[in-house]
Structure formats: C-alpha cells, structure tokens
Amino acid sequence: MAKIGVLALQGAVKEHIQQIETLGHDAVAVKTCDDLRGVDGLILPGGESTTIGKMLERNDMVEPIKTLAQQGVPMFGTCAGLILLAKNIKNSNPPHLGLMELEVERNSFGRQIDSFEVPLSIPSIGDEITAVFIRAPHIVSVGEHVEILATYEERIVLARDGQFLGCSFHPELTDDVRILEYFIGMVNEFIKVSR
Ligand code: GLN
C-alpha cells in the first residue's frame, strides 16, 4: 500500500483522496510540511494556481516539496497543479514549484467560464478516458526528455517528465481511475528502488 499525499491548501482535494482510497491506498491531506513526512507520492490538485502558490510560500512549503522531488518522490499535478509543477508559465511568474521541464499557458481553452468534457485516447493508458477541462491550461512546449502522453486539438494536455506527471484536465472528477493507476505505478516503482 502506498502513502499518497494530496496538497490540501485549496481546490479539488477530497475527490483525489476518494480516488486514492478507492484503489486501496493511504491518502494524506497535506496542509503543512509535517504532513509531507513519509509520503511515497504527492498530488497537486486543481483549483487556483495563484492562490495555491501563494499559500505554498506563506506556509514555507516550497523548499520542502523541492527536497522531496530531489529524493525522487513522484508528483502528479492536475490543472492548477500542472501549473504549479511547470518550470515556466507563459507571460507571468507567480510563485510556483518549477519542477517539470515544460511551459504552460493558463486558461487557454476558450473563455474564462468555459468548461467541457471530451473522451481522450491515451496510448500508454487507455481509450475513452473522460477528460474534464475547467478553465484549463495547456502545455505549450516541453523539454527534450519529456514524454507527451496526450493531446487534444493539437495541444499537449498530459505529459510525463521522469518522476513528474502533469495534466490539463481533472481525472479526479470522473469515476475513471486509470490515470491515477498510472501514477500509482510510478509511485510503486519509486517504492521498489528507494524503500
Ligand atoms: N485556471 C486555473 C489556474 O490558472 C486552473 C483551473 C483549474 O485548476 N481547474 O490556476
């Protein structure tokens, strides 16, 4: 059983926790640095990236999360969480973690209020995966070691950079746990080599 932390400062936290528990793993709501202790993986949820970034700084959590990353702990960012993980955010530089070798653009699908659902085919994960986009970012460009896992309308919406996985949409708002299972596969690999 893996212990997966879900950053719980703001946003869609309980949905991730429920999905993790559905798969039989241990989920921890991470509100402070102490909550990071012993996690085998960390999920950064959707919400408002500027708010979460400011709270990360205020709670002195930026460096501790970067230290976990240096130890190889897998991290998965969904929507605002992807923005927090990205090295670059197009046209702005709010507080964020900057761990994934890619650039994102915020609110890049339609108008601010837009949200929509589409079935995505993701070759390394499965077909007909429902992707819920809510004021979603997309990945504008990626570093040379980053694997592009899914695109929608020619925009990159799911990518993996070694121990980091980031997606534009919200897998936790559906009953489909295949993307989370993929992430837990990454976590289990980490546990095997490090624990
Ligand atoms: N638009 C939000 C941001 O820029 C992300 C939206 C979401 O997480 N659903 O942070």
Side-chain angles (χ1 to χ4, degrees), residues 64-93:
I65 292 176
K66 287 185 177 172
T67 302
L68 270 192
Q70 271 160 15
Q71 292 161 2
V73 171
M75 301 191 179
F76 176 26
T78 59
C79 205
L82 161 68
I83 298 168
L84 291 166
L85 282 181
K87 178 149 266 174
N88 296 312
I89 303 168
K90 198 171 175 180
N91 299 328
S92 68
N93 189 25

Side-chain angles (χ1 to χ4, degrees), residues 9-159:
L9 300 175
Q10 190 260 339
V13 175
K14 66 173 191 310
E15 293 84 351
H16 277 294
I17 289 180
Q18 271 162 11
Q19 275 200 348
I20 294 164
E21 289 174 347
T22 301
L23 292 180
H25 295 281
D26 193 7
V28 187
V30 173
K31 294 192 167 139
T32 66
C33 294
D34 284 351
D35 301 326
L36 289 168
R37 206 168 300 144
V39 300
D40 304 306
L42 181 66
I43 292 181
L44 301 126
E48 191 52 50
S49 57
T50 47
T51 305
I52 302 173
K54 275 185 211 151
M55 292 175 82
L56 278 175
E57 278 201 339
R58 200 176 306 150
N59 295 3
D60 292 324
M61 294 174 83
V62 172
E63 288 309 317
I65 292 176
K66 287 185 177 172
T67 302
L68 270 192
Q70 271 160 15
Q71 292 161 2
V73 171
M75 301 191 179
F76 176 26
T78 59
C79 205
L82 161 68
I83 298 168
L84 291 166
L85 282 181
K87 178 149 266 174
N88 296 312
I89 303 168
K90 198 171 175 180
N91 299 328
S92 68
N93 189 25
H96 65 294
L97 298 163
L99 292 165
M100 265 184 111
E101 283 297 332
L102 46 80
E103 179 172 56
V104 294
E105 182 178 335
R106 295 178 62 204
N107 303 319
S108 57
F109 291 95
R111 292 170 297 145
Q112 275 282 351
I113 54 166
D114 280 351
S115 61
F116 56 93
E117 245 179 69
V118 286
L120 281 186
S121 175
I122 306 177
S124 40
I125 301 181
D127 287 329
E128 298 284 316
I129 293 179
T130 303
V132 179
F133 290 83
I134 304 171
R135 295 179 301 108
H138 83 285
I139 298 166
V140 183
S141 61
V142 298
E144 63 171 322
H145 300 298
V146 178
E147 206 182 332
I148 295 170
L149 298 178
T151 57
Y152 170 66
E153 291 188 335
E154 292 171 20
R155 290 170 165 194
I156 306 165
V157 293
L158 177 66

